[in-house]
Amino acid sequence: MTAATPKGERRRQALVEAAAGLLVDGGFDAVRHRAVAERAGLPLASTTYYFDSLDDLVTAALEFHGRAELEYGKARLAELDPEECGGEAFIDLVLDLLLGPPAGDRDAEAVLLRYERLVATGRRPYLRPLMRKLSGELHGLLLDIFTHAGQPVGQERVEELIALVDGAVVNALIEISPDPRAAARRMLAKAMGLR
Amino acid sequence: MTAATPKGERRRQALVEAAAGLLVDGGFDAVRHRAVAERAGLPLASTTYYFDSLDDLVTAALEFHGRAELEYGKARLAELDPEECGGEAFIDLVLDLLLGPPAGDRDAEAVLLRYERLVATGRRPYLRPLMRKLSGELHGLLLDIFTHAGQPVGQERVEELIALVDGAVVNALIEISPDPRAAARRMLAKAMGLR
DNA sequence: AGTAATCTGGCACAACCGTACCAAATTACT
DNA sequence: AGTAATTTGGTACGGTTGTGCCAGATTACT
């Protein structure tokens, strides 16, 4: 169900943002009708009024979050300085696009969410189209960035580097004190011939 | 709680195997007290009698499944013929160790579970020690296998190849008709200089 | 044989969950 | 202004969850 009135649209959006926040803080399982309503300061029934099902709500939250991240990536591309694109800084940029901006001491948690999204897609086929779209746009963005940085690469190479990062992250998650970003950085630096 | 009587030990084991089966069929969320009891043909309360909590039960199931897979890997190593270890067959062997033996039309589902386990570790710190142990043994097994195959590699290279496979799998899960094993095979073949 | 430890299994509880319902309030439209 | 569409929010229902409880059956031990 979509909203038909301005105020209704605002309410709907508040629910989406609340759901996205819960998604970030606690993963998919944290996105429940009651939790979303409470976080948005709205009654429980508003969630079922604006969204046909919980899956609908989850989908909207994921799309909101994904779009925001893509916007972040595009902004980073726009302010890219081709001069300083050879070294560590460039690797950090790629990592920021793939793992999101560093989140300090909550970084492992933030990174985890991203991979929960990926894996959860396996059990939630209804998320696949959206995930495919977001993932495709991210790949394109990375291609652009490599090109802008004077290191043009092919589609295959990008997919290889992404796989390397993703694999490093996933394997880092089982460490006692996981630092997936550092693990990914190590892999990426080696693969790109640095150090 | 551990069993103190032979029959009790058998019952406990039946619960573990039932839980492991549910884990394979439906992922972590499918492992519930009632489901496990029903699958084992035992009353609900037996699950709380032999396991202090659901987490305990899940841990035992994961350990059982992990051990079985490691045994499978060791068997494959034992029957390894160093003569035919250069080509496609060797790649399939490595994939079998990392993704489990091919499961036909249920392969994507089976592979998915393995990565749910990895990612779920992030949200379930109590699984980390076990996962680390299993993962470590798997790494060691792979090192042995590369050595036996006349392609000795270092720890770093193994970790790189594993990351490549894991990343390929994770990214394949969002396809409309996911075939993570094929995607991983492609990556691995390229990285090992085949084709 | 008899006492103690272990095990069994039926049941109940409180806390969630997704979602349906519906009368009242608000807003849009003619 | 008045009718219709939309939105609101309180409530309730049926289901599932983890887990506690406990009288009785079974098993181990002296």
Side-chain angles (χ1 to χ4, degrees):
Chain A
M1 179 94 71
T2 65
T5 197
K7 180 181 168 188
E9 188 53 50
R10 251 180 288 126
R11 274 193 155 214
R12 200 189 128 99
Q13 186 62 21
L15 289 173
V16 170
E17 291 178 25
L22 287 167
L23 196 59
V24 173
D25 288 354
F28 280 105
D29 289 350
V31 184
R32 312 282 177 173
H33 283 121
R34 287 167 179 80
V36 171
E38 191 172 354
R39 181 157 176 153
L42 293 175
L44 166 62
S46 65
T47 59
T48 61
Y49 180 76
Y50 287 108
F51 300 90
D52 288 336
S53 70
L54 190 63
D55 289 353
D56 261 24
L57 185 47
V58 168
T59 305
L62 182 56
E63 175 147 30
F64 177 79
H65 188 237
R67 291 275 162 233
E69 286 191 331
L70 280 173
E71 286 312 309
Y72 166 78
K74 287 177 187 168
R76 291 292 297 264
L77 171 58
E79 69 184 21
L80 186 61
D81 180 3
E83 299 303 323
E84 38 175 293
C85 280
E88 303 271 334
F90 183 61
I91 293 204
D92 281 336
L93 170 58
V94 173
L95 283 179
D96 287 0
L97 288 211
L98 288 176
L99 309 186
D105 55 347
R106 288 237 168 275
D107 195 43
E109 168 99 4
V111 171
L112 171 60
L113 170 75
R114 191 178 285 263
Y115 291 85
E116 279 185 334
R117 288 211 306 263
L118 268 175
V119 173
T121 307
R123 296 254 178 232
R124 306 177 201 218
Y126 69 92
L127 287 180
R128 262 177 221 169
L130 174 59
M131 281 299 293
R132 253 192 76 77
K133 204 169 52 170
L134 292 174
S135 169
E137 294 196 27
L138 183 63
H139 281 225
L141 195 56
L142 272 178
L143 270 176
D144 287 353
I145 285 191
F146 274 95
T147 306
H148 261 253
Q151 295 190 220
V153 293
Q155 176 104 14
E156 273 199 16
R157 176 66 173 159
V158 167
E159 281 170 15
E160 192 183 313
L161 290 175
I162 290 179
L164 214 46
V165 167
D166 289 344
V169 167
V170 162
N171 278 284
L173 290 178
I174 65 175
E175 296 298 325
I176 305 297
S177 326
D179 188 354
R181 190 179 301 263
R185 179 182 290 114
R186 239 176 290 129
M187 284 273 182
L188 200 52
K190 196 180 171 198
M192 291 177 59
L194 289 183
R195 293 202 194 210
Chain B
M1 183 94 70
T2 65
T5 198
K7 182 180 168 189
E9 189 52 51
R10 251 180 289 126
R11 273 192 156 212
R12 200 189 129 99
Q13 187 61 20
L15 289 173
V16 170
E17 292 179 24
L22 287 167
L23 195 60
V24 173
D25 288 355
F28 281 104
D29 288 350
V31 183
R32 311 283 181 178
H33 283 122
R34 285 165 180 81
V36 171
E38 191 171 356
R39 182 156 175 154
L42 294 175
L44 167 62
S46 66
T47 60
T48 61
Y49 181 74
Y50 287 107
F51 300 91
D52 288 335
S53 70
L54 190 61
D55 290 353
D56 260 24
L57 185 46
V58 167
T59 305
L62 182 57
E63 175 147 30
F64 177 79
H65 188 236
R67 290 277 162 230
E69 287 191 331
L70 280 174
E71 286 312 309
Y72 166 79
K74 286 177 187 169
R76 291 292 298 265
L77 170 58
E79 70 184 20
L80 186 62
D81 179 4
E83 298 302 323
E84 39 175 292
C85 282
E88 303 271 334
F90 183 61
I91 292 202
D92 282 336
L93 170 57
V94 173
L95 283 179
D96 287 1
L97 288 212
L98 287 177
L99 309 186
D105 55 348
R106 289 237 168 274
D107 195 44
E109 168 96 4
V111 171
L112 171 60
L113 169 74
R114 190 178 286 263
Y115 290 84
E116 279 185 333
R117 287 210 308 261
L118 267 176
V119 173
T121 306
R123 296 253 178 232
R124 304 174 203 222
Y126 68 90
L127 288 180
R128 261 176 223 169
L130 174 58
M131 283 297 294
R132 250 193 81 76
K133 203 168 52 171
L134 292 175
S135 170
E137 294 197 25
L138 184 63
H139 281 226
L141 196 55
L142 273 177
L143 268 177
D144 288 352
I145 285 191
F146 273 95
T147 306
H148 262 253
Q151 295 191 220
V153 294
Q155 176 106 13
E156 275 200 14
R157 175 67 173 161
V158 167
E159 280 171 15
E160 191 183 315
L161 291 176
I162 290 179
L164 214 47
V165 167
D166 289 344
V169 167
V170 161
N171 278 284
L173 291 177
I174 66 175
E175 296 298 323
I176 305 298
S177 322
D179 188 354
R181 191 179 300 263
R185 180 182 289 113
R186 239 177 288 127
M187 282 276 181
L188 199 52
K190 197 181 171 200
M192 291 177 56
L194 289 181
R195 297 199 192 211

